[in-house]
Amino acid sequence: MTANEDQEMELEALRSIYEGDDCFKELSPVSFQFRIGDLDDSKSFLLEVSWPESYPETAPHISLDAFFNNRIFLETKQYILSKFSEQVEANLGTAMMYTLFEWAKENQETLMENHQPLTSAVTLISNSDVMNNSTSVSKKKEKKEQLTKAQKRKLIGRTDNKGELPRGWNWVDVIK
């Protein structure tokens, strides 16, 4: 069999296996995207694979450059790609896409063990900002509560004997 016939057979096999699976996407007859993990999982990643002319005798091009992977650190990406290259070397000369995708699904935890989601770092920063802002806001409120004598007289004139404002004191006349 020629490389093209091997590619066509593997392509048909991939289409039938992953039909209706939203993790698999065929970009062209020689390039694919496969999502490992759920969309909402912080340890999921998108694998882009393309076949060269002489595939499966030569290794496919594997990439993690998709926008979906922008939250993954470079060291983690390099580790994943090195593990994939080991698998490719072991399967060279045979149709390996299904094997690679299934291996990635089974080893997702191992591949992403060093991954720390970037969103948590952003959350920690924003939580500390909120804490700093709340303390500065409470300091401002203390300064605002100091009223002049004229403001106090005006406020006392509006309130009843219990210190409450009468019903409708801030209503707007709409019928003017």
Side-chain angles (χ1 to χ4, degrees):
M1 263 191 219
T2 64
N4 275 347
E5 290 173 347
D6 285 342
Q7 287 180 4
E8 288 177 27
M9 286 180 62
E10 185 171 6
L11 179 60
E12 291 204 19
L14 288 173
R15 285 177 179 159
S16 64
I17 292 169
Y18 295 113
E19 183 178 353
D21 189 349
D22 62 339
C23 291
F24 179 79
K25 184 178 181 184
E26 181 182 341
L27 302 175
S28 76
V30 293
S31 65
F32 313 94
Q33 283 184 340
F34 195 81
R35 187 181 72 242
I36 311 298
D38 295 326
L39 278 173
D40 54 352
D41 185 7
S42 67
K43 294 194 174 200
S44 63
F45 58 93
L46 191 67
L47 196 63
E48 289 184 341
V49 182
S50 59
W51 293 340
E53 281 291 319
S54 55
Y55 173 84
E57 302 307 320
T58 57
H61 302 291
I62 300 174
S63 168
L64 292 170
D65 294 335
F67 182 76
F68 186 82
N69 299 329
N70 67 349
R71 67 196 182 336
I72 301 174
F73 290 114
L74 182 63
E75 295 82 23
T76 307
K77 287 181 184 180
Q78 289 171 341
Y79 174 72
I80 293 170
L81 290 173
S82 70
K83 290 297 182 185
F84 267 106
S85 64
E86 290 173 13
Q87 289 298 312
V88 167
E89 290 299 319
N91 292 303
L92 209 56
T94 62
M96 66 180 89
M97 298 314 306
Y98 176 77
T99 311
L100 287 178
F101 293 155
E102 293 304 309
W103 177 84
K105 283 200 285 192
E106 291 169 10
N107 295 292
Q108 176 188 3
E109 287 298 317
T110 311
L111 292 171
M112 296 294 281
E113 66 188 351
N114 296 326
H115 171 64
Q116 298 295 325
L118 294 178
T119 53
S120 65
V122 172
T123 306
L124 291 175
I125 292 168
S126 63
N127 283 344
S128 63
D129 287 346
V130 168
M131 295 301 282
N132 291 340
N133 287 343
S134 65
T135 55
S136 63
V137 168
S138 62
K139 290 177 185 175
K140 289 179 184 175
K141 283 184 181 178
E142 291 173 17
K143 292 180 182 177
K144 284 185 178 179
E145 289 178 312
Q146 296 175 355
L147 301 175
T148 64
K149 286 185 180 179
Q151 290 172 326
K152 289 178 185 175
R153 282 191 207 117
K154 193 173 184 182
L155 190 61
I156 291 172
R158 283 193 204 156
T159 58
D160 58 7
N161 58 358
K162 295 179 189 171
E164 297 175 357
L165 294 169
R167 181 173 181 261
W169 70 272
N170 62 347
W171 291 0
V172 178
D173 189 10
V174 180
I175 304 179
K176 280 188 180 179

